[in-house]
C-alpha cells in the first residue's frame, strides 16, 4: 500500500532556530496535511495543502505541496518552547477513499 | 466548529474483559468514521473504516472479531475491543470522514 516516509525522526534544537521536516512518497498523493500532536492528545491540523506547488503559511509555519505530488515539507521559523511535540505529515492517496495515511512522525524538542 | 468527542478518554481494564469506546460527532453528521490506533511514539495506523448503516471495512491484519465496530447512527460510532490483552494497550483515535476530517481527542486503553 501507499506509505509516507517522514524525516528526520527527531530533532533537538535551540530556541529561536528554524526547523525543517519533510515527507516523501513513492506514489502520488492528492492532499498533504501536517499535524501536531501533544502527549495524550489527538493530532491537531496545522496546514492543509490541496494543489501541487501550493505554498501555505500559518503563522511561523510554512508548508509546501511538492510539484511531483510525491513530497511535502514543513518549516517552522524562530522556534519557541511550545513548538515541542510530534509532527506528522499525512495525505490522501489515490482512490479518493478518504483514508489518511500518516508519516512516522518527527519528534521536536526545543531547548530554551 | 465541528467537534468529535470520544469516551472514555482513559480506561484501564483487566485482561480478558471487553472495552467499548464511543466516538460522537457533536454538531454534524458523519456517515464515515475512521478508527486509528497509535502505539507510544509511533505513527497512527488505520484500523478500519466505519460506515453508517453498513459493515465496517477493516485494514489488512486487523481482526474484525476482536475489534468490533458499530456505526448505528450518523453521530455515533463505537469500537469494542473484545477479550482485551496487554498488547491491545494503545491510544485509539477516531476521525470523521468528509472533505474536512476532524480528529477525536483519543482514548488511552491500558490492559493489565
Amino acid at each position: 500500500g501507499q506509505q509516507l516516509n517522514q524525516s528526520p525522526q527527531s530533532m533537538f534544537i535551540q530556541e529561536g532556530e528554524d526547523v525543517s521536516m519533510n515527507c516523501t512518497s513513492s506514489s502520488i498523493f492528492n492532499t498533504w496535511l501536517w499535524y501536531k500532536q501533544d502527549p495524550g492528545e489527538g493530532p491537531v491540523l496545522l496546514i492543509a495543502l490541496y494543489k501541487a506547488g501550493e505554498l501555505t503559511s500559518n503563522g511561523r509555519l510554512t508548508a509546501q505541496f511538492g510539484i511531483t505530488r510525491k513530497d511535502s515539507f514543513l518549516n517552522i521559523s524562530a522556534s519557541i518552547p511550545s513548538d515541542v511535540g510530534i509532527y506528522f505529515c499525512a495525505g490522501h492517496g489515490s482512490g479518493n477513499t478518504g483514508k489518511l495515511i500518516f508519516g512516522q512522525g518527527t519528534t521536536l524538542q526545543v531547548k530554551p | 466548529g465541528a467537534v468529535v468527542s470520544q469516551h472514555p478518554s482513559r480506561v484501564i481494564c483487566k485482561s480478558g474483559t471487553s472495552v467499548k469506546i464511543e466516538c460522537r460527532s457533536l454538531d454534524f453528521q458523519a456517515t464515515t468514521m475512521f478508527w486509528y490506533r497509535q502505539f507510544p511514539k509511533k505513527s497512527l495506523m488505520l484500523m478500519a473504516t466505519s460506515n453508517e448503516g453498513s459493515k465496517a471495512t477493516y485494514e489488512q491484519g486487523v481482526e474484525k472479531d476482536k475489534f468490533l465496530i458499530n456505526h448505528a447512527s450518523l453521530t455515533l460510532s463505537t469500537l469494542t475491543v473484545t477479550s482485551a490483552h496487554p498488547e491491545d494497550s494503545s491510544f485509539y483515535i477516531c476521525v470523521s470522514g468528509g472533505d474536512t476530517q476532524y480528529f477525536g481527542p483519543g482514548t488511552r486503553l491500558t490492559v493489565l
Side-chain angles (χ1 to χ4, degrees):
Chain A
Q2 292 182 292
Q3 292 183 325
L4 290 178
N5 296 310
Q6 185 172 349
S7 65
Q9 185 175 359
S10 63
M11 303 180 74
F12 190 88
I13 62 170
Q14 197 77 29
E15 181 178 2
E17 291 183 354
D18 297 341
V19 172
S20 184
M21 58 193 79
N22 69 85
C23 273
T24 60
S25 171
S26 58
S27 58
I28 289 173
F29 274 68
N30 295 322
T31 60
W32 285 92
L33 306 165
W34 285 93
Y35 292 88
K36 182 189 177 193
Q37 185 177 27
D38 292 324
E41 305 289 334
V44 173
L45 181 65
L46 299 174
I47 293 178
L49 303 161
Y50 300 103
K51 296 190 299 185
E54 181 179 354
L55 181 70
T56 298
S57 293
N58 179 7
R60 294 178 294 107
L61 278 61
T62 302
Q64 184 161 30
F65 192 144
I67 293 289
T68 64
R69 296 168 63 189
K70 294 182 179 181
D71 64 303
S72 176
F73 71 76
L74 173 71
N75 287 343
I76 305 174
S77 62
S79 59
I80 59 178
S82 61
D83 290 334
V84 166
I86 303 177
Y87 292 81
F88 290 100
C89 63
H92 291 112
S94 60
N96 197 28
T97 62
K99 299 177 186 178
L100 273 176
I101 299 168
F102 283 84
Q104 300 95 331
T106 296
T107 300
L108 177 64
Q109 297 182 66
V110 180
K111 184 177 180 181
Chain B
V3 175
V4 172
S5 69
Q6 279 185 242
H7 178 80
S9 58
R10 296 176 182 272
V11 57
I12 300 173
C13 68
K14 292 183 179 180
S15 185
T17 61
S18 294
V19 175
K20 179 186 283 188
I21 302 170
E22 294 185 346
C23 177
R24 294 181 184 273
S25 55
L26 297 185
D27 55 3
F28 67 103
Q29 294 179 331
T31 56
T32 301
M33 200 71 81
F34 299 100
W35 284 93
Y36 290 82
R37 70 183 295 183
Q38 185 181 30
F39 292 106
K41 299 184 180 180
K42 296 294 184 182
S43 186
L44 285 79
M45 299 300 295
L46 180 65
M47 299 175 64
T49 303
S50 166
N51 299 296
E52 188 271 334
S54 63
K55 291 183 178 180
T57 304
Y58 290 81
E59 296 300 301
Q60 191 173 11
V62 178
E63 300 176 61
K64 63 180 181 180
D65 294 331
K66 180 168 185 63
F67 299 100
L68 300 178
I69 289 174
N70 184 280
H71 199 145
S73 76
L74 290 171
T75 59
L76 175 63
S77 175
T78 61
L79 167 67
T80 301
V81 183
T82 63
S83 186
H85 287 93
E87 58 264 30
D88 298 325
S89 298
S90 191
F91 193 55
Y92 293 86
I93 304 172
C94 62
V95 183
S96 64
D99 292 339
T100 302
Q101 295 180 272
Y102 298 98
F103 281 75
T107 296
R108 173 73 61 193
L109 170 63
T110 302
V111 184
L112 302 177

